[in-house]
Amino acid sequence: MCGIVGYIGKKQVAPILLNGLERLEYRGYDSAGAALCDTEGDLRVYKTKGKVKLLEELIEQKDAHGTIGIAHTRWATHGEPSAVNAHPFYSQSQQLAIVHNGIIENFREIKQSLIEKGYTFQSETDSEVLIQLIEFVKASQNLDTFRAVQVALSNVIGAYAIAIIDREQPNKLIIARKSSPLVIGIGDNKEEFFAGSDATPIIEHTRNVIYLEDEEVAELIPGNAPRIETIQGTTKKHTPCYVSLDIGAIEKGGYPHFMLKEIYEQPQCLKDCMRGRITSDNEKVVLSSIIDHGKTLVNARRFVIVACGTSWHAALIGKQLIEDLVRIPVEVEYASEFRYRNPIIGEHDVVIAISQSGETADTYAALKLAKDKGAFTYAFCNSVGSSISRLANTGTYIHVGPEIGVASTKAFTGQLTTLALFALALASEKKTISSECIAELVNCIASIPDLIAKTLEDVEPIKQLAKRFVKQNNCIYLGRGYNYPVALEGALKLKELSYIHAEGYPAAEMKHGPIALVDENMPIVVVATMDKTYEKIVSNIQEMKARKGKIIAIVSEGDNTLREYADYCLTVPQTNHMLEPLLTVIPLQLLAYYIATEKGCNVDQPRNLAKSVTVE
């Protein structure tokens, strides 16, 4: 969940590292640090608690020369956020320095063994244990650093992405990964190399990258091709990939926050998501994954979707889409629970992973478990070349561009869009609904970007509503059918951004316990569009009003009935009920955003959260 950036070449390294850390700060912002080294082996480590800006201010006052360096922005796992626990870490002799993303699960045993050998530790982290182990292996077995890293990593249990500098070999940068992403950027004529947790910190320097695979170690020496081996010593060859990321997509573009920018990008993002996947006559969906694997998919016994957080909410909607349109049973699992409960999975099952980053540790592990059990695997990811997308048998990219704000917005609507396209393409393949029905739904989904744009035209009522409810401590979100997961997502956004306790429920479940919470101080957000559950949810709202609850209703355009019962109404355009979540989620994203900004919260970097959860 932390961010790593590294460089080796002829340029001064400090500006490259600091700029890279700013690009990666969405991955963690508890502390930051950098190790700088010159060709003479002068190795210096600077680190501080807090954000990257504080590290920049520190380095401005220090000796910042050097042409090789590693840097890190931290989301705390082992050890509280502090300068002492910040990366990089020296080895005991200060010959080596390391940055690490991941968790070493057997660090206690390794640490105790090293203490018995005379090693001392300055921090509470597992990462310091790892660099001490590498130094011990290097010294005790008389190995060079590359071999020492291989041997040390073969003795650790857990996940890692690491970058290491050795002051005795200042012409080399050594990196390695397992279950945590790491990419190599290749400069012109291989005269310089970059390393990053993803492509964002290196994209302005090079677009040619290598994605390291699990248990691979790379040695980067300017002028040479990267040396890549497994930790067991097997030589590996990788063909560099071209990254077409737009630098403008990772800038705020005049918006006060990335999150607000990403909310407003959704109309264009969804057009990008659909481009080339809907025929010119708006009558069919064409997905290469269905063309290549349609028979396997339509003959599946069942689908199992594994996901976490917002992606899990998208999965709940995907379940309804697939079951309604394709008539194949679908189960939705938390990826974090799936892998530990001995699931019954076989060769007639399709296991689908949904992950914005494509690096979510739990989702990756769940998908790998399913693949090992013989299931056919499918991935919905946003990040091209990510670990989950490479692991799956096939899949569909979301193509909504990089999402920097920690709270997911455009990735959620992108996931819903691709899930709808997937269900429509599969329904056409299986012939479970008529071509006329498919054409009608395709026309509806093609109109969604314009309907979202219309929804975003007037946000003033949402801003005013945010001011009224900014001091609340609790909130309930309700929905039914396709909009029940939207209620869950709305509650999650409020919790993530404003730290207000919020819970989502199916509206009819209120009378089975939660209604005891309702009084005149309880805001209740109800997604109440004019679908087949409309009359039922009106009754649910009347039950809340009878207990003096404050009703905020998301209603369909033209609905005047609910204005009689709701205290506040936010309107969305009408569309097919299966696609309503793409519209009803928009005011909930904005409501959470504006409440959080009214409270003065950092909406792009909420406390205790990071964008990509690459550790368990």
Side-chain angles (χ1 to χ4, degrees):
M1 208 159 343
C2 309
I4 288 173
V5 61
Y7 173 80
I8 184 168
K10 297 179 180 179
K11 298 172 183 172
Q12 285 299 304
V13 71
I16 295 171
L17 296 182
L18 291 170
N19 184 62
L21 285 187
E22 288 179 351
R23 302 279 194 221
L24 287 172
E25 197 166 18
Y26 67 91
R27 299 179 67 97
Y29 31 89
D30 292 334
S31 59
L36 315 175
C37 189
D38 62 21
T39 55
E40 304 301 315
D42 180 14
L43 176 62
R44 288 145 283 122
V45 169
Y46 306 120
K47 50 188 183 177
T48 182
K49 180 182 177 181
K51 298 184 183 299
V52 172
K53 186 66 177 175
L54 296 176
L55 178 65
E56 291 179 12
E57 293 171 359
L58 174 66
I59 287 179
E60 283 175 359
Q61 304 168 29
K62 303 291 184 179
D63 178 2
H65 82 282
T67 55
I68 176 174
I70 53 178
H72 187 272
T73 181
R74 182 176 187 241
W75 186 87
T77 50
H78 289 100
E80 66 180 22
S82 68
V84 171
N85 288 330
H87 298 223
F89 292 103
Y90 279 124
S91 62
Q92 185 148 299
S93 68
Q94 296 194 355
Q95 178 182 326
L96 308 177
I98 190 173
V99 290
H100 168 226
N101 177 21
I103 290 180
I104 306 304
E105 295 176 7
N106 60 337
F107 83 99
R108 292 180 183 84
E109 298 94 318
I110 296 171
K111 184 175 184 178
Q112 185 57 42
S113 174
L114 291 171
I115 289 172
E116 292 170 1
K117 293 177 173 62
Y119 283 79
T120 58
F121 294 85
Q122 308 303 314
S123 76
E124 305 168 74
T125 70
D126 56 338
S127 306
E128 186 185 8
V129 174
L130 182 55
I131 194 62
Q132 300 284 44
L133 175 64
I134 292 168
E135 178 164 277
F136 169 72
V137 169
K138 186 175 190 286
S140 63
Q141 299 186 29
N142 194 27
L143 301 175
D144 66 8
T145 306
F146 185 86
R147 292 295 183 203
V149 168
Q150 288 176 306
V151 172
L153 293 180
S154 67
N155 286 282
V156 303
I157 300 169
Y160 52 80
I162 60 172
I164 295 172
I165 296 174
D166 182 342
R167 69 164 72 240
E168 290 186 353
Q169 297 177 309
N171 66 325
K172 296 180 181 180
L173 179 62
I174 295 171
I175 64 174
R177 69 149 284 180
K178 179 183 178 183
S179 301
S180 193
L182 202 59
V183 301
I184 300 169
I186 303 171
D188 292 339
N189 300 316
K190 303 183 180 68
E191 290 299 325
E192 60 182 0
F193 292 101
F194 304 82
S197 295
D198 57 42
T200 56
I202 63 179
I203 194 66
E204 56 199 282
H205 305 289
T206 180
R207 293 183 178 272
N208 295 312
V209 303
I210 290 173
Y211 295 95
L212 280 188
E213 299 289 349
D214 274 358
E215 296 191 338
E216 289 184 348
V217 184
E219 182 181 76
L220 307 178
I221 301 175
N224 295 4
R227 172 191 178 188
I228 303 175
E229 296 182 8
T230 66
I231 60 174
Q232 293 82 20
T234 303
T235 300
K236 302 297 287 288
K237 298 292 183 183
H238 289 277
T239 302
C241 304
Y242 182 81
V243 177
S244 57
L245 181 66
D246 177 10
I247 292 177
I250 55 177
E251 302 287 354
K252 288 181 183 175
Y255 286 89
H257 300 98
F258 279 110
M259 182 183 176
L260 190 62
K261 177 191 178 212
E262 288 157 7
I263 289 172
Y264 275 88
E265 283 178 341
Q266 286 175 107
Q268 184 58 49
C269 286
L270 297 195
K271 288 179 182 178
D272 295 340
C273 178
M274 297 177 207
R275 184 173 293 118
R277 293 167 171 172
I278 294 177
T279 56
S280 58
D281 56 9
N282 275 11
E283 290 191 356
K284 289 181 65 177
V285 173
V286 179
L287 294 179
S288 59
S289 58
I290 307 299
I291 294 170
D292 295 340
H293 303 283
K295 186 175 180 180
T296 299
L297 293 166
V298 299
N299 290 327
R301 177 183 64 161
R302 61 173 176 161
F303 291 165
V304 179
I305 307 179
V306 292
C308 300
T310 287
S311 297
W312 188 79
H313 298 156
L316 293 176
I317 296 169
K319 168 186 168 69
Q320 296 183 66
L321 286 164
I322 294 167
E323 290 188 339
D324 274 352
L325 298 174
V326 191
R327 310 308 296 160
I328 292 175
V330 182
E331 298 173 14
V332 176
E333 300 263 7
Y334 282 113
S336 55
E337 293 296 315
F338 178 82
R339 61 183 293 207
Y340 289 112
R341 64 167 191 79
N342 193 21
I344 302 170
I345 296 291
E347 60 182 7
H348 299 296
D349 297 318
V350 172
V351 176
I352 299 171
I354 305 178
S355 168
Q356 186 281 136
S357 67
E359 302 293 349
T360 309
D362 288 316
T363 307
Y364 179 90
L367 195 68
K368 187 174 188 307
L369 173 65
K371 194 171 185 180
D372 290 344
K373 286 178 174 286
F376 185 82
T377 54
Y378 198 105
F380 288 92
C381 296
N382 189 37
S383 300
V384 176
S386 58
S387 298
I388 289 172
S389 64
R390 297 200 309 274
L391 174 65
N393 294 112
T394 189
T396 301
Y397 282 117
I398 297 165
H399 288 318
V400 295
E403 187 178 64
I404 306 301
V406 167
S408 183
T409 52
K410 66 178 182 176
F412 177 70
T413 51
Q415 288 166 350
L416 297 188
T417 301
T418 48
L419 283 163
L421 295 175
F422 173 79
L424 285 166
L426 209 53
S428 179
E429 179 79 14
K430 199 175 182 186
K431 297 180 171 54
T432 44
I433 59 175
S434 68
S435 56
E436 291 78 16
C437 287
I438 289 174
E440 180 184 343
L441 282 165
V442 171
N443 267 289
C444 284
I445 199 169
S447 71
I448 289 293
D450 290 339
L451 296 182
I452 292 177
K454 183 178 180 181
T455 306
L456 291 168
E457 284 176 359
D458 182 17
V459 300
E460 192 59 35
I462 301 174
K463 289 181 179 179
Q464 296 306 314
L465 199 57
K467 291 177 181 178
R468 289 178 180 270
F469 289 95
V470 68
K471 294 184 179 180
Q472 295 296 323
N473 295 317
N474 298 283
C475 192
I476 293 173
Y477 284 69
L478 304 177
R480 299 191 76 154
Y482 277 86
N483 281 311
Y484 159 53
V486 175
L488 296 177
E489 176 63 10
L492 177 61
K493 286 292 158 284
L494 191 68
K495 281 184 279 196
E496 287 179 314
L497 298 174
S498 68
Y499 320 135
I500 294 172
H501 175 249
E503 296 296 335
Y505 295 98
E509 287 299 301
M510 282 298 292
K511 63 177 70 73
H512 295 283
I515 198 169
L517 298 170
V518 176
D519 60 19
E520 66 275 11
N521 298 314
M522 178 64 78
I524 304 165
V525 180
V526 188
V527 187
T529 51
M530 297 175 71
D531 60 15
K532 63 183 180 181
T533 65
Y534 178 73
E535 296 299 332
K536 298 293 185 183
I537 207 161
V538 170
S539 297
N540 299 142
I541 287 172
Q542 289 172 320
E543 292 167 355
M544 303 303 109
K545 284 300 293 180
R547 277 95 181 154
K548 301 183 179 179
K550 298 297 181 185
I551 306 297
I552 303 164
I554 311 298
V555 302
S556 300
E557 205 169 46
D559 179 5
N560 295 316
T561 301
L562 270 177
R563 296 184 185 279
E564 183 180 335
Y565 303 111
D567 297 278
Y568 310 94
C569 286
L570 301 173
T571 302
V572 295
Q574 292 193 44
T575 188
N576 185 282
H577 72 281
M578 297 183 191
L579 303 176
E580 282 182 345
L582 287 161
L583 301 177
T584 54
V585 76
I586 303 300
L588 301 187
Q589 292 174 349
L590 289 165
L591 183 63
Y593 171 82
Y594 284 116
I595 288 176
T597 54
E598 281 290 326
K599 290 186 69 174
C601 301
N602 186 338
V603 294
D604 282 339
Q605 298 173 349
R607 70 185 183 203
N608 302 333
L609 297 178
K611 184 66 182 172
S612 180
V613 184
T614 57
V615 296
E616 289 189 64

